Amino acid sequence: MSAPHALLEARGIGKSFFGISALEDVDFTLEQGEIHALLGENGAGKSTLIKILTGVYRRDRGTIYLEGNEVSPDDVAAAQALGIGTVYQEVNLLENLTVAENLFLGRQPRRFGMIDRHTMRDRSKALLARYGLDIDVDALLSSYSVAIRQIIAIARAVDLSGKVLVLDEPTASLDANEVKGLFTVLRQLREEGVGIVIITHFLDQVYEIANRVTVLRNGRLVGSRAISELPRLDLISMMLGRELQHITRDHQAEPETIDDRGAPSIQFQNYGKKGSVAPFDLDIRPGEVVGIAGLLGSGRSETAFLLFGIDRADSGTATIDGEQVNITSPEAAIVNRFGFCPEERKTDGIVGDLSVADNIVLALQARRGWMRPISSSAKRELADSFIKSLDIRPADRERPIKFLSGGNQQKAILARWLVTEPRLLILDEPTRGIDIGAHAEILKMIERLCSEGMSLIVISSELEELTAVAHRVIVLSDRRHVAELSGRQLTTDGIIRAIAGTGETEAA
Amino acid sequence: MTWFTRRLRRLAPQLAALAIILGIISLIAPGFLTISVQNGRLYGSLIDILVRAAPVALLTVGMTLVIATRGIDLSIGAVIAICGAVAATLITDGYPLPVVIAVSLGVGIVCGLWNGILVAVLDIQPIIATLILMVAGRGIAQLITEGVILTFNDDTFAALGSGALAGIPIPIYLWVGTALIIGLLMRRTALGFLIEATGINRRAASLAGVRARFLLFSAYAISGLCAAIAGMIVTADIRGADANNAGLWLELDAILAVVVGGTSLNGGRFSITASLIGALIIQSINTGILVSGFPPEFNLIIKAGIIIVVLTLQSPAIITLFGFIKASRRSDKLNHGTKEATR
């Protein structure tokens, strides 16, 4: 069977949504009997690539070869018939059916036109036995744990397809023992010659099980390497961008001036929440930009949720100008003049059916309370002035915000907070999914805002962006604040080392 | 003026539907449109529609707000029965009219707050949460009336249902006045705006500091209040509280009125005026079938048929189809034009 061709090969894959490119010229090669990890931050294009390979999306450009033959799966069923099976993060099985019914759904063995339950049961037993699973196949799927459901899903996918198995975040909700069991199954499938693609953000697991990694970043291919010749440090720098190198910044000469800004105006002490972020200290001075760096799942957004009162801290205190405050809800945070631009713009940011003007005044109106409405002339003026100063396009304040591009939506959300004149603005991935022009404008605006005395917390997976705008960067790993870099230490190189540092000690 | 034309464009489909329905009825039943004055009071089928529409119109006002928050209130028919029972009991016990009215309104608000607790605090789906009071409410009303139809003889209270002031029946004042006050409350304060934001994207609104819980509470409380006013009108009209039948299925008419009025069940942008026109459409159909002399057993079928037509005309599929026809006509013209030009 050792053919000269790779098992699955994709060349020059491109895909864009509504004019915004999600994947550009990406190559991907999967060999037979290989576990291949696909890595990248949120929005890197992992899911898009997987969905193209498994027939969920149609690609705009590029070719896919399976065992040397060009294929073009139009939908999931076609991909399955070709031999490409997928197990998604939320296991795609039916909880209210039995295990056997799930395994044979849509292809139940029949006898005289009726479903042959005996055969189905026996074949289900035999199928699961291959994975070392001896369970009652007539019990409802919902009576089993997620880990067992996952193996059932894998068993179904391999039985249906058998050549390529794609796993999207399979370990996200499993405990250590269950992960071990899953990996045993995966190794066995590798022995049998199945090609496995696995998406995960646990680097330890990548080193434990994968033969090869492919890293995507911002919709482009960063590289594909054998895991044995890829140190962890290099892998992290591939994911976060930039080869290890020192970048000189304009900020480097000015750490003294930052200290000159005087005492911190906002202090969080021993602030944390069990299961979310370990307790940390954070002091913020007026006009300072504090960056937060870390890999996906390291507790970046969770830190923002704590600071803005979306999650309640269960330890520590928050102090503003020397007075202790309780930030137990977003309302409380807003009363203390905090603002927060969330990462998930569509679900957490915009109010889609309302106009741009309504979206811009929403936070201000909420703070004033319902009895003190903003007059329509004041609303018009506020909206128009921010549409102008942030260059929101189209410059039509009455247009429902859902019809704007991502970058312009983001600017409108920024405007929503700027009208409230916050003392601290938290930006979670402010430039994600935004075209280059808007990207630069938003960075410029961050600099202008802090020169006007507003404090900023910027969370980003773009390290160049952080080193360019932040005075200090806090590095998170494994839901802990592990390092704080400033002055000359503040380089992409330094951040990557800080992230990798803890990772390596843990692995050791 | 742009404000006026925008309003007109928003209300055009509902106004057109109402006009067509009234037109058809007046063709079938001559004299339908005549209004006369007898004993200093206006009479006629049109006036009758405005009077009979009072309960549904009141429920529609509250229902519009609840639906705007992406909820639904199934309990208001039962709240009519509860408040009617409370009012009738207090009247027969000899309490003065202001007390009767105040207590009945208070009970309506409490019913709304109960729904508010279930929806906003306990996060129960609105359809289930309000189903509880829909079922239990009639039981509560039966307990209050002790299982009988509680009749009373109090002319001042009965005037709420059948009296007239300056020639115009009192129920018309009540529903138009309530709608005006609540409409102004929504649009002159920021309540309407914040309710819309909450209904469209509760999470995003909360993250912007909007107190979504308070808004949900107020929407359900207003809905309960409107049902209480409707309950008093219904009770005053028949001079008795019928726990089993007062307001029966009226919540469904109110939902229909909101939908005919073009407010989406997915929450968000709402128009109380459009919903009220929807309520008038429903009542016109009811009254129209009656005066047209159709056998009454056809009533429900005819009503359903007309509503299917109205909703079909408003459906996204038809609107896209019309847009498509328009566009293709335009491109025909364009093609024609280019042909002319090439010639």
Side-chain angles (χ1 to χ4, degrees):
Chain A
M1 269 293 275
S2 65
H5 307 289
L7 176 58
L8 181 69
E9 192 174 357
R11 287 275 159 261
I13 301 293
K15 174 84 188 168
S16 46
F17 296 101
F18 309 110
I20 295 173
S21 165
L23 272 188
E24 224 167 298
D25 196 23
V26 169
D27 297 342
F28 180 77
T29 307
L30 177 71
E31 299 290 344
Q32 213 173 34
E34 171 183 76
I35 296 180
H36 195 135
L38 187 57
L39 302 179
E41 290 284 286
N42 272 336
K46 297 170 296 189
S47 301
T48 311
L49 177 60
I50 287 307
K51 284 180 175 163
I52 286 171
L53 294 178
T54 56
V56 179
Y57 292 156
R58 303 287 293 271
R59 62 190 184 280
D60 295 341
R61 281 175 301 282
T63 33
I64 304 173
Y65 302 94
L66 186 71
E67 296 173 324
N69 303 314
E70 188 172 341
V71 294
S72 200
D74 283 341
D75 53 35
V76 182
Q80 266 174 8
L82 287 169
I84 305 171
T86 322
V87 175
Y88 288 102
Q89 200 165 353
E90 329 66 57
V91 176
N92 41 345
L93 296 177
L94 302 167
E95 291 188 4
N96 53 349
L97 296 184
T98 68
V99 173
E101 283 166 339
N102 266 295
L103 284 170
F104 286 96
L105 187 68
R107 48 177 191 136
Q108 295 92 338
R110 284 167 195 276
R111 209 167 152 226
F112 311 125
M114 313 284 271
I115 291 174
D116 183 353
R117 293 202 165 271
H118 266 289
T119 313
M120 193 159 89
R121 190 176 306 145
D122 294 344
R123 282 173 54 187
S124 297
K125 281 259 181 210
L127 192 57
L128 292 180
R130 284 181 55 201
Y131 300 90
L133 213 55
D134 182 22
I135 58 172
D136 178 7
V137 296
D138 287 328
L140 289 184
L141 186 76
S142 55
S143 58
Y144 292 107
S145 71
V146 177
I148 291 183
R149 286 183 216 179
Q150 200 130 44
I151 292 180
I152 294 169
I154 290 172
R156 176 182 161 89
V158 172
D159 195 44
L160 263 175
S161 308
K163 290 178 187 164
V164 177
L165 178 64
V166 179
L167 301 167
D168 187 358
E169 294 281 4
T171 58
S173 43
L174 304 188
D175 67 30
N177 265 329
E178 292 170 333
V179 170
K180 210 180 275 175
L182 176 69
F183 283 1
T184 314
V185 169
L186 294 188
R187 286 197 190 96
Q188 181 192 331
L189 287 172
R190 174 168 63 189
E191 297 291 301
E192 293 168 10
V194 179
I196 298 172
V197 183
I198 180 168
I199 294 182
T200 180
H201 63 265
F202 297 105
L203 293 192
D204 291 342
Q205 293 176 3
V206 172
Y207 278 93
E208 188 181 338
I209 192 154
N211 307 92
R212 211 175 164 75
V213 293
T214 290
V215 179
L216 299 180
R217 191 163 160 263
N218 292 337
R220 290 169 178 280
L221 178 70
V222 177
S224 184
R225 307 260 198 92
I227 200 80
S228 53
E229 42 194 70
L230 183 64
R232 191 179 280 257
L233 201 61
D234 292 359
L235 176 57
I236 294 171
S237 61
M238 277 172 84
M239 290 172 68
L240 295 183
R242 267 308 130 98
E243 298 301 309
L244 291 188
Q245 56 180 290
H246 291 276
I247 299 174
T248 47
R249 303 175 314 112
D250 356 343
H251 290 306
Q252 294 228 335
E254 55 177 84
E256 291 81 6
T257 57
I258 301 305
D259 287 335
D260 285 349
R261 285 174 209 264
S265 57
I266 306 168
Q267 295 175 289
F268 293 92
Q269 261 152 10
N270 197 31
Y271 219 63
K273 179 181 156 84
K274 275 207 185 73
S276 173
V277 188
F280 59 89
D281 292 341
L282 178 60
D283 297 345
I284 305 155
R285 296 180 184 81
E288 190 178 29
V289 180
V290 179
I292 295 185
L295 293 175
L296 187 64
S298 61
R300 296 183 307 209
S301 295
E302 287 78 359
T303 302
F305 287 176
L306 271 186
L307 299 180
F308 196 64
I310 300 165
D311 289 341
R312 271 188 204 203
D314 57 12
S315 73
T317 54
T319 318
I320 295 176
D321 292 334
E323 270 180 58
Q324 192 169 325
V325 292
N326 282 323
I327 299 174
T328 52
S329 67
E331 290 148 57
I334 289 164
V335 168
N336 286 302
R337 292 184 40 226
F338 287 11
F340 173 52
C341 293
E343 175 180 5
E344 301 293 338
R345 203 164 42 232
K346 281 226 156 50
T347 57
D348 299 358
I350 64 166
V351 180
D353 289 334
L354 291 185
S355 68
V356 174
D358 283 341
N359 270 281
I360 288 176
V361 301
L362 182 61
L364 181 64
Q365 181 63 69
R367 194 174 69 188
R368 288 165 65 106
W370 64 273
M371 282 189 282
R372 292 169 55 219
I374 298 166
S375 73
S376 49
S377 60
K379 186 196 282 186
R380 269 201 302 275
E381 262 169 49
L382 277 173
D384 283 345
S385 79
F386 277 95
I387 286 172
K388 190 153 174 269
S389 67
L390 301 187
D391 193 23
I392 295 172
R393 289 180 204 190
D396 175 7
R397 61 169 180 271
E398 299 300 339
R399 180 173 298 224
I401 196 170
K402 63 181 174 189
F403 295 129
L404 267 60
S405 73
N408 285 301
Q409 287 178 355
Q410 184 73 326
K411 288 188 203 167
I413 303 293
L414 270 171
R416 173 189 291 172
W417 293 111
L418 296 184
V419 296
T420 67
E421 297 176 346
R423 86 171 83 216
L424 173 67
L425 187 55
I426 304 165
L427 308 176
D428 193 352
E429 297 287 358
T431 56
R432 159 93 24 92
I434 285 178
D435 59 276
I436 302 290
H439 191 129
E441 281 171 45
I442 285 171
L443 292 190
K444 236 186 289 168
M445 196 166 54
I446 289 176
E447 300 216 321
R448 201 185 71 223
L449 291 175
C450 71
S451 71
E452 287 166 7
M454 184 189 304
S455 306
L456 280 162
I457 292 179
V458 179
I459 299 170
S460 178
S461 49
E462 303 283 330
L463 296 189
E464 301 100 285
E465 190 173 299
L466 282 181
T467 51
V469 301
H471 299 114
R472 268 189 301 148
V473 169
I474 292 174
V475 180
L476 273 77
S477 175
D478 202 17
R479 298 178 178 271
R480 252 165 224 294
H481 289 211
V482 293
E484 185 178 318
L485 307 174
S486 61
R488 294 190 185 288
Q489 302 167 294
L490 181 45
T491 57
T492 49
D493 184 358
I495 296 174
I496 290 169
R497 276 182 206 288
I499 294 173
T502 48
E504 264 166 357
T505 50
E506 257 171 37
Chain B
M1 207 54 196
T2 50
W3 177 85
F4 184 75
T5 48
R6 218 183 306 147
R7 291 288 293 163
L8 201 65
R9 188 177 294 172
R10 165 71 178 83
L11 299 177
Q14 285 76 30
L15 287 171
L18 182 61
I20 291 169
I21 286 166
L22 291 178
I24 291 174
I25 301 170
S26 67
L27 288 181
I28 300 173
F32 176 74
L33 296 177
T34 47
I35 295 174
S36 59
V37 183
Q38 290 170 21
N39 307 327
R41 187 186 192 277
L42 293 171
Y43 280 97
S45 294
L46 289 180
I47 300 298
D48 198 48
I49 289 173
L50 290 176
V51 174
R52 295 283 145 222
V56 176
L58 281 161
L59 296 187
T60 299
V61 173
M63 186 67 86
T64 305
L65 300 183
V66 170
I67 285 179
T69 66
R70 202 175 191 151
I72 202 151
D73 190 348
L74 294 181
S75 72
I76 43 182
V79 175
I80 284 185
I82 296 176
C83 294
V86 168
T89 311
L90 294 176
I91 287 282
T92 47
D93 288 354
Y95 284 91
L97 192 61
V99 175
V100 174
I101 291 175
V103 172
S104 303
L105 295 181
V107 168
I109 291 175
V110 169
C111 289
L113 291 177
W114 161 259
N115 288 328
I117 291 173
L118 297 184
V119 173
V121 181
L122 301 182
D123 261 333
I124 299 175
Q125 286 173 335
I127 195 166
I128 302 298
T130 57
L131 189 62
I132 296 169
L133 191 57
M134 179 185 180
V135 176
R138 297 211 172 263
I140 295 169
Q142 282 168 7
L143 286 177
I144 297 172
T145 62
E146 290 166 341
V148 297
I149 296 179
L150 195 61
T151 56
F152 57 87
N153 220 333
D154 181 302
D155 286 337
T156 36
F157 186 71
L160 288 181
S162 48
L165 196 69
I168 298 171
I170 286 176
I172 299 179
Y173 287 108
L174 288 176
W175 74 258
V176 173
T178 308
L180 266 178
I181 290 169
I182 291 175
L184 287 177
L185 182 71
M186 288 301 137
R187 297 305 177 189
R188 297 284 149 170
T189 72
L191 263 183
F193 169 47
L194 295 175
I195 283 179
E196 286 179 344
T198 308
I200 296 166
N201 190 342
R202 183 172 168 187
R203 186 169 163 82
S206 302
L207 289 182
V210 176
R211 293 161 63 204
R213 275 195 185 147
F214 164 78
L215 293 169
L216 289 174
F217 265 109
S218 45
Y220 284 95
I222 290 174
S223 183
L225 177 74
C226 291
I229 302 172
M232 283 191 285
I233 292 176
V234 169
T235 306
D237 190 34
I238 63 166
R239 294 177 182 239
D242 181 350
N244 290 321
N245 296 309
L248 193 62
W249 309 131
L250 276 195
E251 63 277 347
L252 301 184
D253 274 358
I255 293 170
L256 204 55
V258 174
V259 173
V260 169
T263 297
S264 162
L265 285 179
N266 288 327
R269 308 303 299 258
F270 68 88
S271 162
I272 291 179
T273 317
S275 298
L276 287 174
I277 298 173
L280 289 179
I281 289 175
I282 291 172
Q283 188 55 45
S284 304
I285 296 171
N286 285 339
T287 307
I289 292 169
L290 226 61
V291 299
S292 305
F294 281 109
E297 52 269 33
F298 284 104
N299 283 7
L300 294 175
I301 304 285
I302 295 173
K303 189 169 145 189
I306 294 172
I307 282 160
I308 288 173
V309 173
V310 172
L311 290 182
T312 310
L313 289 176
Q314 287 184 16
S315 69
I318 293 288
I319 289 168
T320 351
L321 183 69
F322 272 116
F324 182 71
I325 293 171
K326 249 191 215 164
S328 66
R329 267 207 204 128
R330 209 176 300 142
S331 69
D332 274 356
K333 263 185 210 160
L334 215 68
N335 289 340
H336 200 62
T338 46
K339 263 180 213 157
E340 298 269 288
T342 48
R343 248 179 244 164

